[in-house]
Amino acid sequence: MSSITALMELLRVKKDQLRRLLICQANLNQSQSSFFANEYLCMEPKLTPTSWEGSLANEFNWLRESGILTNYQEIETTQFNDVFRMLNDTIRRVELEIQLIEQQIAALQEAERKRAAKANK
C-alpha cells in the first residue's frame, strides 16, 4: 500500500505542477498581448520638422527602426513562440506523466483487490 501512497503523492505534485504551468501559460498570453499592443512605442515620439529634423534625426529614426523596432519584433515573434513551444511541450509531458501515474495507481489498486479477494476465499 505504501507504493500507492507514494504514487498518490507524486500525482498530487504533478497535478500542482500542471496547474502552475497553465497559469504561467495564461500569464504569458497576457504579456504577449500587451507586448503586441505596445509595439508602436518603439517609434515614439514621432519626429516632425517642428520637433527634430536633419541628419541626426534621420540617423536616430534609422536606429529606432533597424535596432529597437527590429529587436522588439524579434521578441514578439520568434522569442515568444520559442517560449510557448517549450511551455506547451512541458505541459504535454506533465499531462503524460499524470496519465502514467494514474494508470500505475489503478494497476496497483486492482492488484490489491485481487490479493484481498484471494485472501478472503
Side-chain angles (χ1 to χ4, degrees):
M1 201 65 166
S2 64
S3 59
I4 292 176
T5 304
L7 284 172
M8 294 292 271
E9 177 60 20
L10 181 59
L11 180 61
R12 185 194 64 74
V13 168
K14 290 297 178 179
K15 284 184 175 182
D16 185 57
Q17 184 181 11
L18 179 60
R19 180 189 59 78
R20 288 183 287 123
L21 286 167
L22 293 172
I23 289 170
C24 179
Q25 185 179 48
N27 290 340
L28 191 59
N29 274 323
Q30 287 180 322
S31 296
Q32 185 183 38
S33 294
S34 295
F35 208 79
F36 281 138
N38 291 314
E39 180 181 318
Y40 75 95
L41 293 172
C42 292
M43 298 304 292
E44 291 293 322
K46 298 283 184 214
L47 299 183
T48 65
T50 57
S51 64
W52 191 23
E53 66 177 325
S55 63
L56 289 177
N58 291 338
E59 187 176 330
F60 179 72
N61 254 347
W62 180 82
L63 285 172
R64 288 197 302 185
E65 288 174 11
S66 66
I68 296 170
L69 185 60
T70 301
N71 289 329
Y72 198 92
Q73 290 168 336
E74 165 73 16
I75 293 169
E76 277 182 337
T77 55
T78 306
Q79 292 183 19
F80 265 111
N81 289 341
D82 289 348
V83 171
F84 276 115
R85 189 173 26 263
M86 287 186 288
L87 185 57
N88 287 332
D89 289 348
T90 303
I91 288 170
R92 276 195 300 272
R93 182 181 49 79
V94 171
E95 288 172 338
L96 289 172
E97 289 173 1
I98 288 171
Q99 288 175 358
L100 179 62
I101 294 166
E102 288 173 338
Q103 290 170 357
Q104 291 172 333
I105 290 170
L108 287 173
Q109 288 173 333
E110 182 61 26
E112 284 289 321
R113 277 192 288 276
K114 286 181 180 179
R115 255 192 305 274
K118 265 188 178 178
N120 289 334
K121 285 186 179 185

